[in-house]
Amino acid sequence: TVLATNSISGNINVYEVGTDNDLIVLGATNSTATAGSINIQTNDGTLTVNGAVSTAGPASTITLIANDVNTSNDEDLNINAAVTAVNGTVTLTSVTNDVNFAAAGDVTTTSGYVDVNASGVAGAGIIFMADGAMINSGDDLITMDATGNITIGGLKTTNATTSAIVIATTAGGVIDGGPVNAWFAQEA
């Protein structure tokens, strides 16, 4: 498990380097006034976010990746708590399996691109948002790319371009995750 706070300067970088080792994030806060980013990855294991992950600086990015060097196709990225950035890109990736959002696993930016990726073999590589989960990119773009099904809780942006919300799956469908959030909210 890891709990990280940075209020001075620089980035938060955490790499779980073992094989078949899962990592639980109890929280990560980078409150520096400059561009201090958060990058948390596993080498070969599930990455679970159980506490808030946030950045405060302009253009501060958040990158959360569950890698799978042994190609066991079972390393998930689980977002169970809020992920918040101001103007930086938020990248959420499971290299060979699923990305799951609990109802409390909201992703919010004021003006930052949100990119969610789930790759995998047949039956894997899904994106699942529980009823109540919301991705809000402020006035920026949202992309969701998966091998399998993509279940949507709620997506919101004020970006008025034709590429404001892009959802792509190579071997699945797009599923309504429930009535709590409007499926898509695009405000001009």
Side-chain angles (χ1 to χ4, degrees):
T1 59
V2 65
L3 174 62
T5 302
N6 179 18
S7 60
I8 306 300
S9 66
N11 300 322
I12 294 173
N13 293 304
V14 177
Y15 297 97
E16 172 59 60
V17 295
T19 52
D20 206 24
N21 288 333
D22 298 339
L23 179 61
I24 299 171
V25 178
L26 300 177
T29 304
N30 197 333
S31 60
T32 61
T34 59
S37 297
I38 296 174
N39 182 358
I40 302 174
Q41 300 186 32
T42 61
N43 179 55
D44 184 61
T46 292
L47 176 57
T48 301
V49 176
N50 284 341
V53 174
S54 65
T55 59
S60 297
T61 62
I62 297 174
T63 303
L64 304 172
I65 300 176
N67 284 297
D68 186 16
V69 297
N70 286 342
T71 60
S72 58
N73 301 310
D74 62 356
E75 312 303 357
D76 293 338
L77 172 60
N78 300 311
I79 308 295
N80 298 328
V83 175
T84 308
V86 179
N87 297 324
T89 296
V90 176
T91 303
L92 307 171
T93 301
S94 172
V95 173
T96 61
N97 210 37
D98 306 337
V99 178
N100 300 298
F101 297 84
D106 293 340
V107 177
T108 306
T109 69
T110 304
S111 181
Y113 172 54
V114 178
D115 186 27
V116 183
N117 304 285
S119 299
V121 295
I126 67 166
I127 297 172
F128 177 81
M129 296 178 72
D131 187 15
M134 172 67 81
I135 296 175
N136 182 345
S137 66
D139 64 5
D140 216 315
L141 309 176
I142 299 170
T143 61
M144 302 179 90
D145 296 301
T147 303
N149 290 336
I150 300 175
T151 301
I152 305 293
L155 304 175
K156 182 177 182 180
T157 182
T158 58
N159 187 294
T161 66
T162 57
S163 59
I165 298 173
V166 176
I167 301 169
T169 174
T170 57
V174 178
I175 301 166
D176 183 354
V180 170
N181 291 318
W183 208 52
F184 299 107
Q186 185 177 10
E187 302 168 1

